[in-house]
Structures are given as structure tokens and as C-alpha cells.
Amino acid sequence: MKLATLRNGARDGSLYIVSKDLQTAVCVTSIAENLQWALEHWSAVEPQLQAHYTQLNNRALDDIIQFSHCPLESPLPRAYQWADGSAYVNHVELVRKARGAKMPDSFWSDPLMYQGGGDSFLGPKDNIPLLDPDWGLDFEAEVAVITSDVKLGVSTAAASQAILLITLVNDVSLRNLIPNELAKGFGFFHSKPSTAFSPVAVTPDELGNAWDGAKLHLPLYSYLNDALFGKPDAGTDMTFDFPRLIAHAAKTRTLTAGTIIGSGTVSNCDRTVGSSCIAEKRMLEKIATGEINTPFLQDGDKVKIEMLDNKGLSIFGAIEQRVVMQDETL
């Protein structure tokens, strides 16, 4: 099942079911007004939503619209909790190596995670605002899961049952603001502006054998100005899988339905597949030649993030965003 949120002027938008081929959609607000409500009442509404999905794919519904023309929010336009991990530890090791920092052994056994701003996400086609080019604007292509209610101290095995939906992410970062924030010892804030998610979130069954209950085993494609930037496999070199990340997030708190847990930048040890963010490519350049050649995002740059199934068809739709310089006084 594929779910999307259409922009309607309200904060949480309107819930729509989207066809498997991403061509058509139908409003299901009679079942659940928005995705957050559906997640909070999942056991009751999921069978009804699934029935509509089947009918939509069989062209047995009225009031069908063309999905490509829809004004979209991220599937959850806001979330009570957005927590992003760093599950690809080789990526962390690479970035630290480039700046001459030793990698603590604990990084391989205890996940890194930060709590992002969940109150306002960008839509998958929205512009990425740029206030100051010197801040080092970067994209980060990731996978994320959306959970049901999760109990405090949940086990990794039980956490796997909490995964309701899967989506793609552009975790926008301001790289040059990160060092000073981390030096304060209190984590990210200014360096992590609003995040964007793919047009649809999908139930795990949509992924077939590519989803093993813990990892998504397909390449994640990133494009910068229409040129392929990277296509690392999301299931390869993922040190901490999603149940492990959920259990980590719930170590000292409960997680409410609609919590989003991100994988962090998808990265493979095989560097021939490219990177999922500019920072990683810059670090590889520095290690290889001592010089950095790739600039961070500039006004007018275009970013695209997408995942294809084994038949070459888009699963989640594409995040397609343009960087637009903003007036700082707005």
C-alpha cells in the first residue's frame, strides 16, 4: 500500500491512497483524515485502506485523480518525533579520518542518533531555502521507517513489529555550522533545517524480497543537477538495522505512533557506487588528493533522490528539489 498527503491548506493535509505505479490516487479522508490519525488507529483503518488500494489498482473506484499533478506534502507534514541515526558507520569513519580524528570503538556497537526538528517538513517537490552559501548546504539521501506506538525499553526483536511504513529522506544539512555546534557539546540545531521525505510512504509488503524485516536491499539513487551522484545499496554496510535503531531510540522513552526513524546517509565501502551526500564526496577527494573540489549546494542547484524496484519502476516517487536563495529578513 502506498500513502501520500496532499496539500490542502491545513497543517496535516489530506490522506490519499496512491496506485502501485504512482499514476493515480484517491482521497481516503472518510477513513482517516490524515496520516497521523491513521497511524494512531492503524489496526482499525489498515484493512479499509488496503481494500481501497486494491480497488484503486483494479480501477474499481470513482473520483480518481492523476497523482503526478498533485501538490504534495511529505507523507507526514510534521511528526511528534523525528530521530535520525547514523547506521552506516563506514561513512562516519570516513568523515573522521579526513579530519584526522580517531574513531571510538563504541561507534561500532552503540548507534549515533540525533533528534531533528519534526514540527515542519518540506514537501518532496519544495524548494530548499538557502540563506547563506557559506553555511555549506548539503543533501543527505536516506531511508526511514515510520512506527506504531513503541514501549519504553523495547527489545530489538519486538521493535521490528513496530515498523508500519517506509519512506525516503533528504536530510538537509548545513555542514559549516556543525563543528561549532558540536564543540558546544549539545548537538545539532541550526545545522539541521527542515527535512524532506518522498512523495509516498509504503507498507513493507510493497518491497517484496528487498525488505527483510530490518533492512531495505536496493540502491538509493541521488542526482545533482541531473547527473548521477551515487547509488549505494541501502542494505549493504548498514551496521545498525532499523529494529536496532528503534530500540536505541526507545531506550529511555516511549515512542508515539508516527515517530520517524532515519538511517542516516546511505553509504557503501565500495566507493565506485558514489555517495549520498556532498560531504562524503569531499572527504574522499581530500583523502585521495589532499584537495576538495566539489562545492556545497548553491542557488539554482537541483537534487533528486529516488529508489527503483527490480523492474526499474519508482517505488516511493522522487524527491525533486531546487535550491533557492532566500532573503534573510523574510
Side-chain angles (χ1 to χ4, degrees), residues 1 17 48-61:
M1 179 166 56
I17 292 284
Q48 300 175 65
L49 295 174
Q50 186 63 54
H52 274 65
Y53 182 61
T54 299
Q55 290 177 304
L56 176 63
N57 287 317
N58 291 334
R59 298 182 175 85
L61 290 176

PDB file of all heavy atoms in Angstrom, residues 1 17 48-61:
ATOM      1  N   MET A   1       0.846  -1.196   0.000  1.00  0.00           N
ATOM      2  CA  MET A   1       0.000   0.000   0.000  1.00  0.00           C
ATOM      3  C   MET A   1       0.880   1.244   0.000  1.00  0.00           C
ATOM      4  O   MET A   1       1.918   1.275   0.671  1.00  0.00           O
ATOM      5  CB  MET A   1      -0.916  -0.025   1.227  1.00  0.00           C
ATOM      6  CG  MET A   1      -1.837   1.168   1.356  1.00  0.00           C
ATOM      7  SD  MET A   1      -3.134   0.882   2.559  1.00  0.00           S
ATOM      8  CE  MET A   1      -2.193   0.479   4.037  1.00  0.00           C
ATOM      9  N   ILE A  17      -4.669   7.470  -0.964  1.00  0.00           N
ATOM     10  CA  ILE A  17      -4.056   6.217  -1.396  1.00  0.00           C
ATOM     11  C   ILE A  17      -3.536   6.422  -2.814  1.00  0.00           C
ATOM     12  O   ILE A  17      -4.221   7.031  -3.646  1.00  0.00           O
ATOM     13  CB  ILE A  17      -5.096   5.066  -1.383  1.00  0.00           C
ATOM     14  CG1 ILE A  17      -5.507   4.723   0.044  1.00  0.00           C
ATOM     15  CG2 ILE A  17      -4.550   3.840  -2.084  1.00  0.00           C
ATOM     16  CD1 ILE A  17      -4.496   3.927   0.816  1.00  0.00           C
ATOM     17  N   GLN A  48      -9.279  -1.215   5.847  1.00  0.00           N
ATOM     18  CA  GLN A  48     -10.078  -0.375   4.959  1.00  0.00           C
ATOM     19  C   GLN A  48      -9.203   0.316   3.915  1.00  0.00           C
ATOM     20  O   GLN A  48      -9.562   0.391   2.727  1.00  0.00           O
ATOM     21  CB  GLN A  48     -10.826   0.685   5.769  1.00  0.00           C
ATOM     22  CG  GLN A  48     -11.779   0.133   6.813  1.00  0.00           C
ATOM     23  CD  GLN A  48     -12.387   1.246   7.651  1.00  0.00           C
ATOM     24  OE1 GLN A  48     -13.141   2.086   7.143  1.00  0.00           O
ATOM     25  NE2 GLN A  48     -12.063   1.281   8.932  1.00  0.00           N
ATOM     26  N   LEU A  49      -8.059   0.816   4.352  1.00  0.00           N
ATOM     27  CA  LEU A  49      -7.140   1.455   3.414  1.00  0.00           C
ATOM     28  C   LEU A  49      -6.630   0.439   2.395  1.00  0.00           C
ATOM     29  O   LEU A  49      -6.532   0.736   1.198  1.00  0.00           O
ATOM     30  CB  LEU A  49      -5.966   2.081   4.172  1.00  0.00           C
ATOM     31  CG  LEU A  49      -6.305   3.242   5.107  1.00  0.00           C
ATOM     32  CD1 LEU A  49      -5.069   3.659   5.902  1.00  0.00           C
ATOM     33  CD2 LEU A  49      -6.861   4.434   4.332  1.00  0.00           C
ATOM     34  N   GLN A  50      -6.329  -0.761   2.846  1.00  0.00           N
ATOM     35  CA  GLN A  50      -5.837  -1.801   1.945  1.00  0.00           C
ATOM     36  C   GLN A  50      -6.899  -2.183   0.914  1.00  0.00           C
ATOM     37  O   GLN A  50      -6.584  -2.412  -0.262  1.00  0.00           O
ATOM     38  CB  GLN A  50      -5.424  -3.036   2.746  1.00  0.00           C
ATOM     39  CG  GLN A  50      -4.771  -4.134   1.931  1.00  0.00           C
ATOM     40  CD  GLN A  50      -3.470  -3.697   1.300  1.00  0.00           C
ATOM     41  OE1 GLN A  50      -2.574  -3.224   1.981  1.00  0.00           O
ATOM     42  NE2 GLN A  50      -3.360  -3.844  -0.023  1.00  0.00           N
ATOM     43  N   ALA A  51      -8.151  -2.218   1.326  1.00  0.00           N
ATOM     44  CA  ALA A  51      -9.235  -2.529   0.391  1.00  0.00           C
ATOM     45  C   ALA A  51      -9.342  -1.464  -0.691  1.00  0.00           C
ATOM     46  O   ALA A  51      -9.516  -1.785  -1.882  1.00  0.00           O
ATOM     47  CB  ALA A  51     -10.552  -2.658   1.153  1.00  0.00           C
ATOM     48  N   HIS A  52      -9.214  -0.190  -0.289  1.00  0.00           N
ATOM     49  CA  HIS A  52      -9.233   0.896  -1.274  1.00  0.00           C
ATOM     50  C   HIS A  52      -8.036   0.808  -2.209  1.00  0.00           C
ATOM     51  O   HIS A  52      -8.154   1.103  -3.409  1.00  0.00           O
ATOM     52  CB  HIS A  52      -9.255   2.250  -0.558  1.00  0.00           C
ATOM     53  CG  HIS A  52     -10.625   2.724  -0.187  1.00  0.00           C
ATOM     54  ND1 HIS A  52     -11.422   2.064   0.722  1.00  0.00           N
ATOM     55  CD2 HIS A  52     -11.356   3.794  -0.624  1.00  0.00           C
ATOM     56  CE1 HIS A  52     -12.578   2.708   0.840  1.00  0.00           C
ATOM     57  NE2 HIS A  52     -12.558   3.749   0.033  1.00  0.00           N
ATOM     58  N   TYR A  53      -6.878   0.427  -1.679  1.00  0.00           N
ATOM     59  CA  TYR A  53      -5.676   0.289  -2.501  1.00  0.00           C
ATOM     60  C   TYR A  53      -5.884  -0.773  -3.575  1.00  0.00           C
ATOM     61  O   TYR A  53      -5.545  -0.571  -4.748  1.00  0.00           O
ATOM     62  CB  TYR A  53      -4.490  -0.055  -1.605  1.00  0.00           C
ATOM     63  CG  TYR A  53      -3.167  -0.174  -2.322  1.00  0.00           C
ATOM     64  CD1 TYR A  53      -2.623   0.909  -2.998  1.00  0.00           C
ATOM     65  CD2 TYR A  53      -2.450  -1.377  -2.304  1.00  0.00           C
ATOM     66  CE1 TYR A  53      -1.403   0.805  -3.649  1.00  0.00           C
ATOM     67  CE2 TYR A  53      -1.226  -1.483  -2.951  1.00  0.00           C
ATOM     68  CZ  TYR A  53      -0.709  -0.389  -3.628  1.00  0.00           C
ATOM     69  OH  TYR A  53       0.496  -0.491  -4.262  1.00  0.00           O
ATOM     70  N   THR A  54      -6.460  -1.884  -3.202  1.00  0.00           N
ATOM     71  CA  THR A  54      -6.737  -2.955  -4.157  1.00  0.00           C
ATOM     72  C   THR A  54      -7.714  -2.488  -5.230  1.00  0.00           C
ATOM     73  O   THR A  54      -7.503  -2.726  -6.430  1.00  0.00           O
ATOM     74  CB  THR A  54      -7.309  -4.181  -3.423  1.00  0.00           C
ATOM     75  OG1 THR A  54      -6.349  -4.649  -2.467  1.00  0.00           O
ATOM     76  CG2 THR A  54      -7.633  -5.302  -4.406  1.00  0.00           C
ATOM     77  N   GLN A  55      -8.749  -1.796  -4.806  1.00  0.00           N
ATOM     78  CA  GLN A  55      -9.740  -1.288  -5.761  1.00  0.00           C
ATOM     79  C   GLN A  55      -9.124  -0.248  -6.691  1.00  0.00           C
ATOM     80  O   GLN A  55      -9.420  -0.220  -7.894  1.00  0.00           O
ATOM     81  CB  GLN A  55     -10.932  -0.700  -5.013  1.00  0.00           C
ATOM     82  CG  GLN A  55     -11.790  -1.739  -4.302  1.00  0.00           C
ATOM     83  CD  GLN A  55     -12.907  -1.091  -3.508  1.00  0.00           C
ATOM     84  OE1 GLN A  55     -12.679  -0.235  -2.642  1.00  0.00           O
ATOM     85  NE2 GLN A  55     -14.127  -1.471  -3.800  1.00  0.00           N
ATOM     86  N   LEU A  56      -8.276   0.610  -6.150  1.00  0.00           N
ATOM     87  CA  LEU A  56      -7.627   1.629  -6.978  1.00  0.00           C
ATOM     88  C   LEU A  56      -6.768   0.978  -8.050  1.00  0.00           C
ATOM     89  O   LEU A  56      -6.813   1.373  -9.228  1.00  0.00           O
ATOM     90  CB  LEU A  56      -6.774   2.546  -6.098  1.00  0.00           C
ATOM     91  CG  LEU A  56      -5.955   3.614  -6.826  1.00  0.00           C
ATOM     92  CD1 LEU A  56      -6.862   4.601  -7.559  1.00  0.00           C
ATOM     93  CD2 LEU A  56      -5.048   4.365  -5.843  1.00  0.00           C
ATOM     94  N   ASN A  57      -5.989  -0.019  -7.677  1.00  0.00           N
ATOM     95  CA  ASN A  57      -5.134  -0.693  -8.651  1.00  0.00           C
ATOM     96  C   ASN A  57      -5.932  -1.473  -9.681  1.00  0.00           C
ATOM     97  O   ASN A  57      -5.457  -1.701 -10.805  1.00  0.00           O
ATOM     98  CB  ASN A  57      -4.155  -1.626  -7.927  1.00  0.00           C
ATOM     99  CG  ASN A  57      -3.053  -0.868  -7.216  1.00  0.00           C
ATOM    100  OD1 ASN A  57      -2.489   0.071  -7.763  1.00  0.00           O
ATOM    101  ND2 ASN A  57      -2.751  -1.265  -5.989  1.00  0.00           N
ATOM    102  N   ASN A  58      -7.153  -1.859  -9.321  1.00  0.00           N
ATOM    103  CA  ASN A  58      -8.047  -2.563 -10.249  1.00  0.00           C
ATOM    104  C   ASN A  58      -8.955  -1.608 -11.010  1.00  0.00           C
ATOM    105  O   ASN A  58      -9.863  -2.052 -11.728  1.00  0.00           O
ATOM    106  CB  ASN A  58      -8.892  -3.595  -9.486  1.00  0.00           C
ATOM    107  CG  ASN A  58      -8.065  -4.754  -8.978  1.00  0.00           C
ATOM    108  OD1 ASN A  58      -7.023  -5.073  -9.534  1.00  0.00           O
ATOM    109  ND2 ASN A  58      -8.524  -5.381  -7.902  1.00  0.00           N
ATOM    110  N   ARG A  59      -8.731  -0.297 -10.819  1.00  0.00           N
ATOM    111  CA  ARG A  59      -9.529   0.749 -11.467  1.00  0.00           C
ATOM    112  C   ARG A  59     -11.017   0.588 -11.162  1.00  0.00           C
ATOM    113  O   ARG A  59     -11.877   0.775 -12.027  1.00  0.00           O
ATOM    114  CB  ARG A  59      -9.294   0.733 -12.977  1.00  0.00           C
ATOM    115  CG  ARG A  59      -7.864   1.030 -13.375  1.00  0.00           C
ATOM    116  CD  ARG A  59      -7.710   1.053 -14.897  1.00  0.00           C
ATOM    117  NE  ARG A  59      -6.381   1.452 -15.312  1.00  0.00           N
ATOM    118  CZ  ARG A  59      -5.345   0.620 -15.423  1.00  0.00           C
ATOM    119  NH1 ARG A  59      -5.515  -0.665 -15.145  1.00  0.00           N
ATOM    120  NH2 ARG A  59      -4.171   1.052 -15.807  1.00  0.00           N
ATOM    121  N   ALA A  60     -11.311   0.252  -9.890  1.00  0.00           N
ATOM    122  CA  ALA A  60     -12.701   0.000  -9.496  1.00  0.00           C
ATOM    123  C   ALA A  60     -13.241   1.094  -8.590  1.00  0.00           C
ATOM    124  O   ALA A  60     -14.231   0.882  -7.889  1.00  0.00           O
ATOM    125  CB  ALA A  60     -12.793  -1.350  -8.789  1.00  0.00           C
ATOM    126  N   LEU A  61     -12.620   2.277  -8.612  1.00  0.00           N
ATOM    127  CA  LEU A  61     -13.058   3.383  -7.774  1.00  0.00           C
ATOM    128  C   LEU A  61     -13.383   4.599  -8.632  1.00  0.00           C
ATOM    129  O   LEU A  61     -12.813   4.806  -9.704  1.00  0.00           O
ATOM    130  CB  LEU A  61     -11.965   3.767  -6.766  1.00  0.00           C
ATOM    131  CG  LEU A  61     -11.672   2.785  -5.629  1.00  0.00           C
ATOM    132  CD1 LEU A  61     -10.499   3.294  -4.814  1.00  0.00           C
ATOM    133  CD2 LEU A  61     -12.895   2.590  -4.742  1.00  0.00           C
TER     134      LEU A  61
END
